[in-house]
């Protein structure tokens, strides 16, 4: 069995995303990660399946490691994979932002949870809830 490539999107740095130093503003790296996470969730069926259950995904923490700068006109691939651990109320989505020449520009690790939208509380067992929502877990995990 061959391993699946992680889910990814393509981005291109626009002039209004630059900081005064001429490189991509730090907050935009986070936006690129969020775009990839959202697109993966939609492609895997997470958003639709969970909303029917009255559950939404919430961001609890995000950590970024900047490796190489990106400048105006640079193009990159933003990959996204999910990780789950048993008995945790949280799960993780990892992004790698890689320029077209293969240079890793940034790595983002996000901690997420599933929130009961009525009670406004995290629900246990995110992997089971996501699976029960009919989600493509293999696509979500990049396997």
């Amino acid at each position: 069995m061959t391993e699946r490539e992680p889910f990814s999107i393509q981005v291109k740095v626009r002039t209004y995303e630059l900081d005064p130093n001429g490189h991509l503003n730090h907050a935009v790296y986070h936006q690129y990660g969020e775009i990839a996470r959202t697109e993966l969730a939609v492609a895997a069926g997470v958003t639709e399946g969970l909303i029917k259950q009255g559950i939404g995904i919430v961001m609890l923490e995000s950590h970024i490691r900047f490796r190489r700068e990106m400048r105006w006109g640079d193009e990159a691939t933003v990959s996204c994979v999910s990780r789950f651990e048993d008995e945790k109320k949280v799960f993780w989505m990892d992004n790698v932002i890689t320029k077209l020449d293969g240079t890793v520009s940034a790595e983002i690790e996000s901690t997420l949870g599933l929130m009961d939208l009525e009670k406004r509380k995290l629900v246990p067992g995110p992997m089971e809830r996501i699976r029960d929502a009919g989600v493509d877990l293999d696509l979500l995990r990049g396997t």
Side-chain angles (χ1 to χ4, degrees), residues 1-140:
M1 183 168 130
T2 60
E3 191 167 318
R4 178 189 292 197
E5 288 290 317
F7 179 87
S8 65
I9 61 164
Q10 299 298 123
V11 295
K12 184 173 183 176
V13 177
R14 297 165 292 235
T15 56
Y16 63 84
E17 296 173 328
L18 303 178
D19 67 12
N21 298 321
H23 60 250
L24 189 64
N25 180 281
H26 66 92
V28 179
Y29 287 91
H30 287 286
Q31 290 173 346
Y32 288 172
E34 182 65 15
I35 293 166
R37 287 187 298 275
T38 301
E39 291 296 322
L40 173 55
V42 169
V46 173
T47 307
E48 182 180 330
L50 290 176
I51 292 296
K52 288 178 183 175
Q53 296 181 30
I55 296 172
I57 299 174
V58 292
M59 174 75 66
L60 302 170
E61 182 178 342
S62 183
H63 176 77
I64 189 166
R65 286 174 296 283
F66 298 102
R67 301 293 188 202
R68 294 286 185 268
E69 70 178 351
M70 290 183 65
R71 302 179 60 110
W72 175 75
D74 283 346
E75 295 181 54
T77 299
V78 184
S79 66
C80 188
V81 296
S82 303
R83 295 182 286 118
F84 298 89
E85 288 183 19
D86 293 337
E87 307 302 321
K88 298 277 186 179
K89 278 191 175 182
V90 299
F91 64 101
W92 298 267
M93 292 183 99
D94 301 323
N95 302 106
V96 178
I97 301 174
T98 308
K99 296 197 286 187
L100 295 184
D101 68 2
T103 303
V104 173
S105 183
E107 299 164 318
I108 305 169
E109 180 184 72
S110 301
T111 305
L112 300 110
L114 299 181
M115 177 187 280
D116 181 309
L117 297 174
E118 186 177 315
K119 295 177 183 175
R120 312 308 284 181
K121 300 279 185 186
L122 289 181
V123 298
M127 187 172 75
E128 291 77 23
R129 295 286 186 123
I130 289 171
R131 183 178 44 239
D132 292 347
V135 171
D136 182 345
L137 277 173
D138 289 337
L139 177 60
L140 208 57

